[in-house]
Amino acid sequence: MSARLPDPYLSRLAHSVLWPGFHGTAAPDWLLRALDRGLAGTVYFEHNLDPAFPDAVVELSERIHQANPRALIGVDEEGGIVTRLEAATGSSAPGNAVLGRIDDVETTERTAAWIGALVAAAGIDIDLAPTVDVNSNPRNPVIGVRSFSADPAVVARHAAAYVRGIQSAGVAACPKHFPGHGDTVTDSHLAVATSASPWTSCAASIFRRSQQRSRRVRRP
């Protein structure tokens, strides 16, 4: 990340499509240099947050935005079993499987708004949520309870509600992962996940609608 390309324009263009993580609870020098050269931003993980000093993440976000005011800071804050900001104690918010089982879109939207406020208070710009994969394969090792349902219709309406809630806090939502991922049996963190099932327009439409809605974020 510290190397310079001969062409400054090309260097800035290359930096603008990179979104790395980093080790530690303070922004390392290489990250600050890269941000100055146009790095897109960074993504926080549990190891970047010290539960003994909860306000430190706000200072970290401020430092990153000082280095590049256009930098985007992201985090995986889904509620349920996936949390970074509350990793020390576990998420205070129910996960998607619970929300889908309740099947009340107002509850989903209020839950997502609470998560959005938590993310915004930390100075973070993008929440890498919600998971909008359809939980169509019970052998899937990474989706499971992170999905709203095995029913595409349930997933579609709660995905939309979740995006509305997140973005009501002035944080951008990022629906994930990919149409068909809920029907795989591979941990995509470890290997390429593939599905033998045909591409379904229904699964694709869920992503299309939720992503279109996620473009409409506005800062309060």
Side-chain angles (χ1 to χ4, degrees):
M1 291 299 300
S2 60
R4 285 184 179 274
L5 293 173
D7 184 337
Y9 174 77
L10 183 60
S11 175
R12 200 161 194 84
L13 191 63
H15 278 86
S16 72
V17 296
L18 298 176
W19 209 31
F22 61 94
H23 291 289
T25 56
D29 289 342
W30 69 261
L31 178 63
L32 297 176
R33 289 195 301 270
L35 287 165
D36 185 58
R37 296 170 190 166
L39 186 70
T42 189
V43 179
Y44 291 161
F45 292 90
E46 180 181 348
H47 57 256
N48 301 127
L49 312 173
D50 187 344
F53 300 97
D55 293 336
V57 65
V58 179
E59 297 176 7
L60 176 61
S61 297
E62 289 175 349
R63 182 70 186 92
I64 289 169
H65 285 134
Q66 286 170 0
N68 181 353
R70 299 185 66 181
L72 298 177
I73 302 172
V75 72
D76 291 275
E77 197 64 37
E78 301 178 20
I81 65 170
V82 178
T83 178
R84 307 292 185 241
L85 297 174
E86 295 189 299
T89 58
S91 178
S92 302
N96 286 1
V98 173
L99 294 171
R101 185 64 179 269
I102 295 171
D103 199 12
D104 181 278
V105 292
E106 291 184 3
T107 298
T108 295
E109 186 169 346
R110 288 197 302 270
T111 300
W114 184 90
I115 292 174
L118 181 71
V119 171
I124 298 170
D125 308 294
I126 302 176
D127 188 4
L128 302 176
T131 292
V132 299
D133 302 293
V134 178
N135 190 33
S136 52
N137 192 328
R139 296 174 57 211
N140 191 298
V142 292
I143 302 302
V145 296
R146 297 169 69 191
S147 171
F148 290 112
S149 177
D151 183 340
V154 174
V155 175
R157 60 176 171 265
H158 287 277
Y162 202 107
V163 168
R164 287 195 303 270
I166 286 284
Q167 300 199 157
S168 70
V171 172
C174 180
K176 60 185 185 184
H177 293 84
F178 192 80
H181 191 8
D183 191 37
T184 64
V185 295
T186 304
D187 185 339
S188 51
H189 300 92
L190 305 177
V192 176
T194 61
S195 173
S197 300
W199 178 280
T200 62
S201 59
C202 183
S205 69
I206 294 172
F207 279 82
R208 189 179 302 112
R209 291 197 300 270
S210 58
Q211 288 169 352
Q212 287 172 346
R213 188 173 294 278
S214 69
R215 299 189 189 116
R216 302 170 186 170
V217 64
R218 286 179 173 78
R219 290 286 185 181

